[in-house]
Amino acid sequence: MRAGLSGGKNVAESVRTHPRLFVTLTAPSFGPVHNRPTGGGKPRPCRCGQHHSEDAAVLGTPLNPRAYDYAGAVLWNAHAGALWSRFTTYVRRELAQHLRMTQKALNVSVRVSFAKVAEYQKRGLAHFHAVVRLDGPDGHTSPPPAFATAKALTEVVHRARDRVVLTLNSDAVGDRIIRWGAEIDVREITALGDGELTDQRVASYVAKYATKSAEGSGTVDRSLVCAPCSGRGMVGDRVRDLCPHCGGTGRAASFADLRVQTHVRTMIRTAWTLGGMPEFAHLKLTKWAHMLGFRGHFSTKSRAYSTTLAHCATYAEGGASPKLKPPANAQDTRPRPLTRSSSPNPPGPSSPPATAPAKNSSPTRHATKSTALARTRNESRPKGRCGRDARRRGICTVHLLRRRCGRAAHRRMGCRQGHCMKAIGLVRLSRP
């Protein structure tokens, strides 16, 4: 993130001269909450009539919990990632319309780069802090044209924010329109020492937001889905029974046992309830109930914004890139499973080369039909799987010292898929 603001790590320092904006997108209001309003630099009393301190526990909680729209808050968190995706699309479209050119012509001359970080508010809703930058057609390596200014980008961001609208049709909670909140903060980022909001200051802000987690809103740091039953509440294949760990609820812990505020507990319960409805199954709200419905990435960037994480790791270690392919003459030292046709001691360079059998040789010509069919079944069967056929052939792929393969052996070897360990390979054992 810092490299895209001030350069470094294969990003030129000339990126500081590109038009850049620091944009804050917030969530709409789902009901009045306790807060610390300020006016003229002085704190004002809350709607409840009291002055709250900065660490007050009631900050972000609704004034009237019964009238608060918890379902709307959870659904907005679930669609926050889709709102950001459409925002980036509309910024490019509005920029092309503002400059009076087609999008194809815009892509040839200007490239819009983004980097955003999500942060939880006290009320349990996510809002985004983003860096929007105008580059040349090749990204940060090329300067933008003269007509791509920060003033034009500011107007475009406001218009794109107003255009982003998601329509949700639901029989359970009613039809809803999901969009950004009315509050938006757009400020120009200047070079070091040239203005109030410098790139170094924005980099510090972004680093602070990136290190914050959902625990800042008072929620839990683990999933509430029961691991043994995967949240289904039932265990077993043929004969299904209630999960003994969760008692059929599918939750790893009861809502009443969570050490959170009532407001956060209600949002978690709402997310879990909505996740159990078939019309919201694609949102996977039960899996992300501990995140209050938010299921997006906390930090994302566009392709040409700056460097990659792989390059950062390489830069820190001072070695070669981990994604570079090994040379062609490099020898593969990984263990290979033994097959029936392979030999543990392959012939060396001095050994005479194996000669192909003659065309009229007896073993090949007079092979029986059963042997050919067995060889065909052997080659078509996936290696590493044990079963009755493997036991009849006397080949055990589960354990070197056991002559029988079964579920018990699989469990002892830590196999959950019903497959054997590939590192052991096929080992022929004598029949008992």
Side-chain angles (χ1 to χ4, degrees):
M1 191 75 71
R2 182 185 293 270
L5 288 169
S6 55
K9 297 180 181 179
N10 81 354
V11 179
E13 294 186 0
S14 60
V15 76
R16 291 183 172 181
T17 61
H18 296 194
R20 299 167 298 174
L21 297 180
F22 186 60
V23 183
T24 301
L25 301 171
T26 60
S29 176
F30 298 96
V33 296
H34 294 273
N35 56 1
R36 300 179 68 249
T38 57
K42 297 181 180 180
R44 295 181 300 173
C46 179
R47 292 186 181 183
C48 64
Q50 300 180 2
H51 289 271
H52 301 300
S53 59
E54 295 183 358
D55 56 348
V58 296
L59 289 179
T61 59
L63 296 175
N64 186 6
R66 296 184 178 181
Y68 192 80
D69 188 8
Y70 282 101
V74 171
L75 291 176
W76 192 94
N77 275 344
H79 291 85
L83 288 177
W84 169 255
S85 178
R86 292 202 178 187
F87 171 76
T88 58
T89 301
Y90 283 125
V91 165
R92 297 182 177 95
R93 294 180 181 179
E94 291 294 334
L95 182 60
Q97 183 178 0
H98 179 79
L99 299 178
R100 297 181 179 180
M101 61 174 56
T102 62
Q103 296 188 30
K104 185 176 181 180
L106 178 69
N107 297 333
V108 175
S109 56
V110 183
R111 188 163 188 169
V112 186
S113 300
F114 304 91
K116 64 93 174 170
V117 174
E119 180 192 10
Y120 272 92
Q121 294 176 325
K122 289 289 186 179
R123 53 178 177 160
L125 295 171
H127 65 287
F128 296 150
H129 303 278
V131 176
V132 186
R133 191 186 66 206
L134 294 180
D135 301 327
D138 298 331
H140 59 82
T141 58
S142 58
F147 56 82
T149 61
K151 182 179 179 180
L153 184 59
T154 302
E155 182 179 353
V156 165
V157 166
H158 283 278
R159 291 165 56 181
R161 189 280 310 263
D162 297 335
R163 285 192 59 183
V164 177
V165 176
L166 297 177
T167 303
L168 181 63
N169 299 321
S170 172
D171 297 334
V173 297
D175 298 341
R176 295 176 178 269
I177 296 179
I178 301 177
R179 61 194 313 164
W180 295 109
E183 297 184 3
I184 181 175
D185 185 18
V186 182
R187 290 185 289 174
E188 183 180 358
I189 304 174
T190 59
L192 184 61
D194 294 341
E196 179 182 357
L197 188 63
T198 61
D199 49 10
Q200 296 293 338
R201 189 174 181 182
V202 172
S204 301
Y205 287 158
V206 171
K208 181 184 69 174
Y209 299 144
T211 54
K212 295 178 64 176
S213 60
E215 297 179 10
S217 60
T219 184
V220 294
D221 59 348
R222 63 189 182 278
S223 177
L224 299 179
V225 176
C226 179
C229 65
S230 301
R232 294 187 297 267
M234 306 292 291
V235 293
D237 297 332
R238 297 183 179 179
V239 180
R240 303 183 65 84
D241 197 2
L242 293 178
C243 178
H245 300 273
C246 62
T249 61
R251 299 190 302 267
S254 176
F255 295 138
D257 297 337
L258 301 178
R259 298 182 179 180
V260 294
Q261 296 182 355
T262 305
H263 173 63
V264 177
R265 183 181 291 107
T266 306
M267 289 195 68
I268 294 177
R269 183 184 291 108
T270 304
W272 190 276
T273 304
L274 294 177
M277 299 180 180
E279 54 185 338
F280 299 126
H282 64 284
L283 298 178
K284 301 180 180 180
L285 293 177
T286 55
K287 179 181 179 181
W288 301 104
H290 67 291
M291 302 295 291
L292 309 183
F294 180 72
R295 55 195 182 95
H297 295 280
F298 277 88
S299 177
T300 58
K301 70 176 187 65
S302 58
R303 183 181 301 273
Y305 174 78
S306 64
T307 183
T308 60
L309 295 178
H311 185 273
C312 292
T314 306
Y315 183 83
E317 296 176 0
S321 176
K323 291 188 177 182
L324 292 179
K325 295 182 178 180
N329 56 355
Q331 185 178 3
D332 191 1
T333 59
R334 293 177 298 177
R336 299 290 185 180
L338 297 177
T339 59
R340 298 184 64 179
S341 59
S342 62
S343 175
N345 297 323
S350 59
S351 302
T355 58
K359 186 175 180 179
N360 297 327
S361 59
S362 176
T364 306
R365 186 176 180 179
H366 301 285
T368 60
K369 184 176 180 181
S370 59
T371 306
L373 292 177
R375 186 182 301 110
T376 304
R377 287 197 301 266
N378 246 356
E379 295 176 354
S380 62
R381 183 178 291 105
K383 302 299 181 182
R385 184 186 296 272
C386 66
R388 296 181 179 179
D389 295 339
R391 289 200 294 270
R392 284 199 298 265
R393 293 195 307 269
I395 302 174
C396 179
T397 58
V398 175
H399 202 281
L400 293 176
L401 303 180
R402 298 188 179 275
R403 306 183 188 277
R404 291 187 178 182
C405 312
R407 296 182 180 180
H410 280 305
R411 287 197 296 268
R412 284 194 294 271
M413 296 302 297
C415 182
R416 303 178 181 178
Q417 303 281 339
H419 296 274
C420 307
M421 298 182 63
K422 297 182 179 180
I424 296 178
L426 301 178
V427 180
R428 188 173 184 89
L429 300 178
S430 60
R431 296 182 180 180

